[in-house]
Amino acid sequence: MKRLLLLFAFLITINQVQSQENLPTDYLSKEFHKGRREAFRALMPANSVAVIFSYPERVFSKDINYNYHQNPDLFYLAGYKEPDGVLLLFKENQGSDEKYNEVLFVREKNANREMWTGRRLGTDGAKSKLGFSTAYNGKDFKDFAIDFQKFDKIIYDKISTDLGKDKSGFDLFGLLETFKTKAGITTENEASLELFRTITNSLREIKTPEEMVLMRKTVKLSCVAHNEVMKAVGPDMSENEADGIHAYIHKHYGAEGEGYPPIIGAGANGCILHYGENNATKIDNQLLLMDVGSEYHGYSADVTRTIPANGKFTEEQKAIYQLVYDAQEEVFKICKEGTPIQDLNKKSKEVIAAGLIKLGIITDPADVKIYYPHGCSHFLGLDVHDKGNYMGSLKENMILTVEPGIYIPANSKCDKKWWNIGVRIEDDILIKKNSYENLSAESPRKWDEIEKLAAQKSTFNEMKFPKI
Ligand SMILES: [Mn+2]
């Protein structure tokens, strides 16, 4: 028996996990990531090194982790999607014969581990699939000949401090400890963090043509999902079921999932900005606020539509809805190169303040923040709240959201006919030289167009499941 078990263990270790088949064909290419590293290097000061780590894995339940999500900066620069990796980027060529200016450390291939937790690229994959000429296993970082002291600047991001270490010593915890020891880092150097942010902000705020293909796709399929839910929804549907329709459609079109936890809030729940329980069993005859966007090959959409579950806006709902719509339209008008980004928020606040005064909901324009407490716009891309310089001006090929909203919870100091109305309309806007393109225009925003679409039947209305 013992011999049999040994043989079994042996077979597992020599048995290589087969390479994956039928993968999507539209992932970003290794040339894209290489180009991003070159762009990053061009912004590095002389005699500097940048160090970028994988995100940590996080526990979902005891010995089960959440689905892993890579650090978007590392994905952007390397295309590496696994945990326990670190990228070194050098401004100048390194080595005695000056033959490399970047090194990627990856998880070591391990047939037994791969059978349990999935395929690993390993160093060969890092070379053939990601295009690195110099790649090592994480365990080699410790003995890797690098004198961090010789650099004028070490550029790195905030270091995670809440990590458990595994027994190997070569996981993310081990890599970070090795880095801190080698680089002599005791407390984080603010200047190094700042420089990292400046460089990644200036690169990631402008989308390349390759990124635009994925951005258009993720926004488009998110619009299809919003439109289908508009048709399918009714007072008897649960928030969670509406959530499920979005998720199904995202995956139908090849998205990995959502770019952020979906917000599906009916009535009072729609007045909670980052509502995430989505557990009301019935939407009833209320407004349904849906802030949902897919993540497609790393890129997030961020679309919000607010719809009446019974297909018709009440007069009060319509008045609030129209005001949010008008604010959005006014902001669109200044969406072009050169506009200070802070002006988008200012403009939307002005329009909504004037409208709320007109409706008798507030008297002092400063009180607009009671009912519209968030900003109007953020960058969108690999992160749903993407990197970029928020104090700068709009530039061609930036993508930002425009998302004004009004939320009037019960017991607000206004006529109770307005209570429990929460409206946000959010679109994903591509900035051009003298204009903009609304990437999410395929999902209707006008109240009458929403009512028209809501009157249609959805495929999901025909689905029958057994009673349990
Ligand atoms: Mn948003």
Side-chain angles (χ1 to χ4, degrees):
M1 185 62 188
K2 213 171 191 179
R3 202 184 280 172
L4 203 70
L5 278 175
L6 273 174
L7 179 69
F8 185 62
F10 179 69
L11 282 174
I12 287 177
T13 40
I14 58 160
N15 182 25
Q16 290 294 309
V17 175
Q18 285 196 340
S19 63
Q20 217 168 350
E21 290 177 352
N22 300 325
L23 283 170
T25 53
D26 58 346
Y27 285 140
L28 287 169
S29 66
K30 57 187 175 190
E31 289 76 22
F32 165 82
H33 298 290
K34 188 175 173 51
R36 296 296 81 205
R37 292 197 292 282
E38 278 161 12
F40 189 103
R41 193 173 290 115
L43 297 174
M44 291 167 71
N47 194 30
S48 63
V49 56
V51 187
I52 301 121
F53 292 92
S54 287
Y55 266 177
E57 294 183 278
R58 293 296 188 196
V59 173
F60 173 76
S61 164
K62 204 157 117 304
D63 53 349
I64 307 292
N65 287 333
Y66 280 97
N67 274 344
Y68 183 67
H69 195 279
Q70 183 58 284
N71 171 1
D73 284 318
L74 182 58
F75 174 70
Y76 185 75
L77 294 167
Y80 190 56
K81 297 181 197 169
E82 296 176 31
D84 303 328
V86 56
L87 170 67
L88 306 183
L89 280 182
F90 302 96
K91 177 72 174 183
E92 293 88 7
N93 282 352
Q94 305 293 311
S96 49
D97 46 1
E98 299 203 335
K99 63 177 181 350
Y100 64 89
N101 58 6
E102 55 196 25
V103 184
L104 184 65
F105 291 88
V106 297
R107 289 198 303 184
E108 188 169 22
K109 294 282 292 175
N110 178 326
N112 187 30
R113 292 312 306 154
E114 286 179 59
M115 191 177 173
W116 283 91
T117 58
R119 297 175 176 87
R120 300 178 173 192
L121 272 184
T123 52
D124 287 347
K127 289 174 185 169
S128 63
K129 299 214 166 78
L130 303 181
F132 280 85
S133 53
T134 314
Y136 296 105
N137 290 316
K139 69 175 184 189
D140 298 325
F141 186 41
K142 218 165 192 157
D143 295 325
F144 182 68
I146 179 169
D147 176 11
F148 279 102
Q149 317 305 330
K150 76 168 192 178
F151 294 99
D152 292 332
K153 189 68 114 187
I154 306 169
I155 305 163
Y156 57 92
D157 201 358
K158 217 165 170 44
I159 292 174
S160 302
T161 53
D162 59 340
L163 302 174
K165 56 176 166 184
D166 70 12
K167 287 186 224 109
S168 74
F170 312 127
D171 62 349
L172 182 61
F173 182 89
L175 292 174
L176 286 167
E177 288 302 302
T178 300
F179 170 57
K180 286 193 280 186
T181 307
K182 280 180 179 260
I185 292 168
T186 44
T187 50
E188 278 175 348
N189 178 337
E190 279 303 325
S192 295
L193 304 178
E194 193 57 40
L195 185 55
F196 181 76
R197 273 185 223 126
T198 310
I199 295 177
T200 49
N201 281 356
S202 70
L203 292 177
R204 285 180 47 191
E205 69 181 12
I206 306 290
K207 268 54 184 182
T208 69
E210 297 93 329
E211 290 181 288
M212 274 311 306
V213 172
L214 299 181
M215 284 304 301
R216 284 184 186 282
K217 180 108 185 206
T218 193
V219 176
K220 190 186 179 85
L221 68 92
S222 298
C223 286
V224 173
H226 274 276
N227 292 354
E228 201 59 40
V229 177
M230 281 184 204
K231 291 190 269 179
V233 82
D236 290 332
M237 187 180 275
S238 70
E239 291 175 341
N240 220 357
E241 196 173 3
D243 190 342
I245 296 176
H246 281 279
Y248 177 80
I249 293 173
H250 295 164
K251 294 196 173 184
H252 174 77
Y253 288 104
E256 285 78 12
E258 286 70 51
Y260 52 98
I263 299 166
I264 312 263
N269 298 336
C271 298
I272 302 168
L273 301 181
H274 286 171
Y275 174 72
E277 287 93 343
N278 303 348
N279 57 359
T281 56
K282 278 176 78 158
I283 296 167
D284 270 338
N285 290 309
Q286 304 182 94
L287 278 185
L288 182 66
L289 187 155
M290 304 186 292
D291 185 343
V292 194
S294 74
E295 181 178 320
Y296 187 87
H297 300 356
Y299 287 82
S300 184
D302 191 3
V303 179
T304 307
R305 291 292 182 264
T306 307
I307 59 175
N310 61 10
K312 286 272 176 213
F313 288 92
T314 65
E315 285 311 306
E316 287 76 23
Q317 289 169 350
K318 202 184 291 178
I320 298 296
Y321 189 92
Q322 188 62 39
L323 179 50
V324 176
Y325 178 92
D326 291 344
Q328 216 192 8
E329 287 288 309
E330 287 305 307
V331 175
F332 289 161
K333 285 181 190 162
I334 56 170
C335 284
K336 57 186 173 195
E337 188 156 295
T339 300
I341 290 172
Q342 299 294 319
D343 283 9
L344 307 180
N345 188 43
K346 270 188 227 154
K347 173 60 78 182
S348 69
K349 289 274 183 328
E350 270 168 35
V351 177
I352 289 188
L356 289 177
I357 290 171
K358 217 168 159 188
L359 292 172
I361 295 172
I362 59 173
T363 51
D364 179 353
D367 286 342
V368 67
K369 62 178 183 295
I370 298 172
Y371 299 111
Y372 175 20
H374 60 76
C376 179
S377 297
H378 57 79
F379 290 101
L380 184 64
L382 285 173
D383 286 296
V384 61
H385 297 160
D386 211 31
K387 288 195 160 184
N389 177 13
Y390 285 86
M391 301 317 288
S393 295
L394 293 177
K395 292 183 199 134
E396 194 177 14
N397 296 325
M398 283 179 168
I399 299 177
L400 295 101
T401 63
V402 173
E403 50 172 314
I406 299 174
Y407 317 90
I408 313 177
N411 302 314
S412 294
K413 287 182 186 138
C414 62
D415 193 321
K416 69 176 184 188
K417 69 178 180 177
W418 304 112
W419 291 359
N420 290 330
I421 295 178
V423 174
R424 177 161 66 252
I425 316 175
E426 177 173 26
D427 284 84
D428 302 339
I429 304 301
L430 170 65
I431 303 300
K432 300 187 166 185
K433 271 251 179 288
N434 297 304
S435 62
Y436 69 93
E437 180 185 342
N438 183 355
L439 301 176
S440 43
E442 279 181 47
S443 186
R445 295 186 302 118
K446 287 187 174 151
W447 69 263
D448 53 336
E449 288 175 5
I450 289 174
E451 288 190 350
K452 214 185 265 172
L453 192 61
Q456 293 182 26
K457 277 260 163 287
S458 160
T459 323
F460 287 90
N461 297 127
E462 311 303 322
M463 291 177 90
K464 294 269 179 285
F465 298 101
K467 272 211 179 331
I468 56 168

